[in-house]
């Protein structure tokens, strides 16, 4: 109720001011027109202007992950918590490694045993290969020696593979960050027992972000013709991006196309989950723009000085987009109108011309 009364009062004030300016300009008609020669003016004309479509987009990280346990054991140390910044390869947590260490020791012992057996089998095969041509051993014994040599050789390879497996299992007890970023969730507590596949930490990379928005079906062809977005961040910074990933199928719920817009790396002021404005061009339209200096603004009300014969009249207008120091006029002006380039200068001159 208070805001309504306040807006009504402001509108009344502007109308009263307009009347005073009208009478002021009328009294100035009898004066010399040389007072208006120094008042710079511009002629209004409509020109083709890109039809910008503005949508809300949500920022999300390009690279995010949930790190899971790859071995079983009890957590003995947590090195990071939610909202902590981590570097690539940093140790996130430690798991008990006694069992994995014992498995590695057993694998190494089996490997040593397999190598010894293999050495004996290879030597026996060499002896048989020397005796067989002389007829000292039978064909069956020779075949058995060859098969035994191959078997022990494969056993060495299998034992070596078990060592590699045991080494990897031991490394899994020290969980590392796959990339640099921030921790968004910790799924476990110190002292808990974990098993393979259990979630431990979640996080995302801070270096690469993207914006995601939905494109109505009626604009999809225009976007394909000009695949470029102008993004306005929360801090007012604008970014242009043509790195798009436009989905080829329609969302059955929203009946629109999803598009991912890649942002440059390491952009400041971009936070996942925040809303930004995404704009793209869909054709063009004719529009009237005037310099910002031509406007007299009072809260949400705007007006310009328009020339009628030899007088200047304050005329209320409805404004639209702002672009490089110019403001779009949606209503209140027609093509061919002449307006004062500097509205405040016009106001000052009209006041001076009204003085006796």
């Amino acid at each position: 109720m208070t805001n309504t009364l306040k807006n009504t009062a402001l509108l009344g004030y502007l109308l009263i001011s307009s009347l005073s300016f009208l009478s002021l300009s009328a009294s100035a008609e009898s004066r010399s027109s040389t007072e208006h020669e120094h008042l710079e003016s511009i002629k209004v004309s409509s020109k083709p202007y890109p039809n910008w479509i503005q949508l809300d987009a949500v920022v999300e990280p390009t690279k995010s992950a949930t790190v899971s346990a790859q071995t079983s054991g009890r957590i003995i140390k947590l090195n990071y918590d939610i909202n902590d910044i981590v570097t690539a390869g940093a140790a996130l947590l430690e798991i008990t490694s006694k069992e994995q260490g014992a498995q590695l020791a057993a694998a190494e012992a089996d490997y040593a045993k397999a190598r010894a057996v293999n050495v004996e089998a290879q030597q026996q095969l060499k002896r048989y290969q020397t005796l067989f041509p002389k007829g000292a051993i039978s064909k069956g014994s020779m075949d058995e020696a060859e098969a035994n040599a191959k078997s022990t050789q494969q056993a060495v390879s299998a034992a070596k593979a078990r060592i590699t497996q045991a080494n990897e299992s031991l490394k899994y007890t020290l969980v590392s960050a796959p990339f640099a970023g921030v921790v968004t969730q910790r799924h476990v507590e110190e002292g808990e027992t974990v098993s393979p596949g259990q979630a431990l930490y979640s996080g995302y990379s801070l270096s690469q972000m993207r914006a995601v928005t939905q494109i109505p079906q009626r604009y999809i062809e225009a976007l394909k013709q000009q695949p470029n977005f102008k993004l306005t961040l929360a801090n007012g910074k604008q970014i242009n991006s043509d790195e798009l990933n436009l989905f080829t199928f329609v969302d059955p719920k929203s009946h629109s196309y999803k598009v991912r817009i890649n942002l440059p790396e390491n952009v400041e002021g971009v936070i996942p989950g925040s809303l930004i404005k995404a704009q793209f061009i869909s054709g063009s339209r004719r529009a009237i723009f005037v310099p910002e200096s031509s406007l007299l603004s009072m809260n949400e009300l705007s007006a310009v000085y328009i020339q009628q014969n030899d007088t200047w009249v304050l005329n209320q207008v409805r404004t639209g987009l702002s672009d490089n120091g110019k403001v779009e006029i949606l209503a209140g002006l027609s093509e061919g109108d002449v307006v004062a380039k500097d509205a405040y200068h016009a106001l000052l001159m009209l006041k001076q011309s009204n003085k006796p």
Side-chain angles (χ1 to χ4, degrees):
M1 184 67 179
T2 304
N3 292 335
T4 304
L5 293 174
K6 187 179 296 184
N7 291 336
T8 304
L10 288 173
L11 181 59
Y13 176 79
L14 184 60
L15 292 174
I16 293 172
S17 301
S18 301
L19 291 175
S20 64
F21 291 144
L22 288 172
S23 61
L24 180 152
S25 58
S27 63
E29 287 186 52
S30 59
R31 297 180 178 269
S32 174
S33 61
T34 56
E35 296 180 359
H36 301 291
E37 291 178 359
H38 302 292
L39 189 58
E40 189 176 358
S41 62
I42 57 174
K43 190 173 183 180
V44 173
S45 63
S46 63
K47 298 179 180 179
Y49 185 78
N51 188 30
W52 288 96
I53 306 301
Q54 180 171 287
L55 302 170
D56 289 330
V58 180
V59 177
E60 67 177 24
T62 301
K63 186 185 296 184
S64 60
T66 295
V67 179
S68 301
Q70 293 178 277
T71 187
S72 59
R74 183 173 54 85
I75 298 175
I76 58 177
K77 188 178 181 181
L78 293 171
N79 298 323
Y80 292 93
D81 205 346
I82 297 176
N83 205 40
D84 287 345
I85 304 297
V86 300
T87 58
L92 299 175
L93 58 81
E94 296 179 28
I95 302 174
T96 52
S97 59
K98 291 183 179 179
E99 181 180 354
Q100 290 78 5
Q103 291 176 353
L104 177 59
E108 290 175 343
D110 290 341
Y111 176 65
K113 179 180 179 181
R115 286 187 61 186
V117 173
N118 181 55
V119 169
E120 181 181 358
Q122 298 302 327
Q123 290 177 349
Q124 184 176 5
L125 176 60
K126 288 181 180 181
R127 288 195 298 268
Y128 278 23
Q129 288 174 341
T130 303
L131 296 175
F132 180 71
K134 300 177 181 180
I137 59 173
S138 64
K139 174 64 174 169
S141 298
M142 183 62 190
D143 292 341
E144 183 180 353
E146 289 179 348
N148 189 39
K150 290 180 180 180
S151 176
T152 56
Q153 192 173 10
Q154 294 301 320
V156 171
S157 298
K160 190 175 182 180
R162 286 193 292 271
I163 290 180
T164 302
Q165 183 180 13
N167 264 320
E168 289 299 313
S169 182
L170 183 60
K171 290 179 182 178
Y172 293 156
T173 61
L174 189 64
V175 181
S176 302
F179 49 79
V182 60
V183 177
T184 57
Q185 193 170 359
R186 178 168 56 83
H187 304 278
V188 292
E189 296 289 342
E190 186 173 330
E192 287 187 17
T193 300
V194 295
S195 56
Q198 184 174 345
L200 303 175
Y201 280 97
S202 295
Y204 60 80
S205 173
L206 294 169
S207 61
Q208 185 67 53
M209 300 289 173
R210 66 189 176 201
V212 179
T213 188
Q214 301 287 338
I215 307 297
Q217 296 183 43
R218 63 183 180 274
Y219 296 128
I220 197 64
E221 291 301 324
L223 181 59
K224 289 180 179 179
Q225 292 177 6
Q226 291 183 281
N228 197 325
F229 271 90
K230 180 169 66 175
L231 305 173
T232 303
L233 307 183
N235 57 10
K237 182 179 179 181
Q238 290 189 337
I239 298 174
N240 292 319
S241 177
D242 58 359
E243 297 182 15
L244 313 180
N245 182 11
L246 180 62
F247 287 23
T248 56
F249 54 89
V250 178
D251 188 333
K253 294 182 179 179
S254 63
H255 307 291
S256 58
Y257 289 86
K258 187 176 183 179
V259 60
R260 290 174 174 172
I261 311 161
N262 291 331
L263 303 180
E265 292 187 2
N266 302 315
V267 178
E268 294 183 1
V270 178
I271 303 174
S274 61
L275 286 175
I276 64 175
K277 298 298 181 182
Q279 294 176 296
F280 65 95
I281 296 176
S282 176
S284 62
R285 57 186 172 85
R286 298 195 70 84
I288 294 176
F289 279 82
V290 298
E292 292 179 350
S293 60
S294 296
L295 290 177
L296 274 176
S297 299
M298 182 182 297
N299 293 336
E300 296 181 357
L301 301 176
S302 300
V304 299
Y305 277 105
I306 184 172
Q307 189 176 27
Q308 293 183 354
N309 298 325
D310 293 331
T311 64
W312 292 97
V313 179
L314 189 65
N315 189 53
Q316 186 176 352
V317 295
R318 183 159 60 93
T319 59
L321 298 174
S322 296
D323 187 11
N324 294 328
K326 293 186 176 182
V327 180
E328 181 184 11
I329 304 299
L330 300 177
L333 287 180
S334 300
E335 189 164 2
D337 288 343
V338 177
V339 299
K341 188 173 182 179
D342 191 334
Y344 289 94
H345 182 54
L347 174 62
L348 179 62
M349 289 191 64
L350 289 175
K351 284 185 176 181
Q352 291 177 347
S353 66
N354 194 40
K355 292 181 179 179

